[in-house]
Amino acid sequence: MQVSVEGKMVEVSDGASCADALKEGLSGKRFKAAIACKAGDTLLDLTAPVPTTTETLTLTPVTADTPEGLGLIRHSAAHVMAAAVKKLFPAAKVTIGPSIENGFYYDFDSEVTFGPEQLRALEKEMKKIVSENLRIERFTLPKDEALELVRKMEEPYKELLIERIPEGEEISFYRQGEFTDLCAGPHLD
């Protein structure tokens, strides 16, 4: 399949990742700066397969110094924070955690109030998680299996979110080490 990468037509095999396509079309430095890619208007992980289409697909690298890149970094940082919370406070229930204009947040239902001591411990755990260089993997499940998973994880807020998703829509999760969360993504790899 042929795709356009910054005006250069490149040939990629079916199932090739966005990273594979960008690597073919970009110079070494430009490729190394890419943290995600856009296929048309859709932001994708570098590990995502190149979407199949009958028309010429344009892939654009997304770098950390762009608003989209910064949002992606913040979103991934929110997941690192949630992983740290679940590690240190396993009874905490995860709600939502998007990136926002000036940072990111994650809401938790927890009996523990996060004060300065807990925040220091969370920051230390986040640094540890980042240093582990864990792979972030995306996977999808049908609605019934997605509900089964979050029930097994004892995450009632995720169950509520999944119940609101119309039948037939893709339900995606991201796994990072022991932490798994319902999430549309994308993320840093």
Side-chain angles (χ1 to χ4, degrees), residues 54-65:
T54 55
E55 300 173 16
T56 301
L57 181 67
T58 299
L59 294 179
T60 307
V62 175
T63 57
D65 60 351

Side-chain angles (χ1 to χ4, degrees), residues 140-157:
T140 61
L141 293 174
K143 189 171 186 172
D144 60 335
E145 290 178 37
L147 285 166
E148 184 180 325
L149 175 63
V150 296
R151 287 175 183 142
K152 184 178 175 184
M153 293 167 45
E154 299 180 10
E155 292 293 352
Y157 299 103

Side-chain angles (χ1 to χ4, degrees), residues 59-179:
L59 294 179
T60 307
V62 175
T63 57
D65 60 351
T66 64
E68 288 166 322
L70 181 56
L72 182 72
I73 291 167
R74 288 174 171 162
H75 185 181
S76 294
H79 274 242
V80 171
M81 181 177 67
V85 168
K86 290 298 285 184
K87 180 94 173 195
L88 298 178
F89 309 100
K93 302 300 178 203
V94 180
T95 62
I96 59 170
S99 83
I100 55 176
E101 184 179 340
N102 58 352
F104 62 90
Y105 73 91
Y106 230 109
D107 284 334
F108 300 95
D109 183 353
S110 174
E111 292 185 15
V112 176
T113 300
F114 298 150
E117 183 179 326
Q118 290 77 17
L119 294 176
R120 282 190 294 277
L122 286 169
E123 182 178 9
K124 182 178 178 182
E125 185 63 28
M126 287 175 71
K127 288 178 180 179
K128 181 181 172 198
I129 291 168
V130 169
S131 73
E132 291 172 355
N133 199 25
L134 300 168
R135 183 173 177 82
I136 298 177
E137 302 169 276
R138 181 181 190 272
F139 65 96
T140 61
L141 293 174
K143 189 171 186 172
D144 60 335
E145 290 178 37
L147 285 166
E148 184 180 325
L149 175 63
V150 296
R151 287 175 183 142
K152 184 178 175 184
M153 293 167 45
E154 299 180 10
E155 292 293 352
Y157 299 103
K158 298 301 177 172
E159 185 177 346
L160 290 172
L161 291 171
I162 292 170
E163 286 172 347
R164 294 179 184 151
I165 297 173
E167 285 297 331
E169 274 196 34
E170 182 176 82
I171 300 175
S172 60
F173 293 83
Y174 280 79
R175 180 183 303 121
Q176 172 187 343
E178 296 174 14
F179 179 70

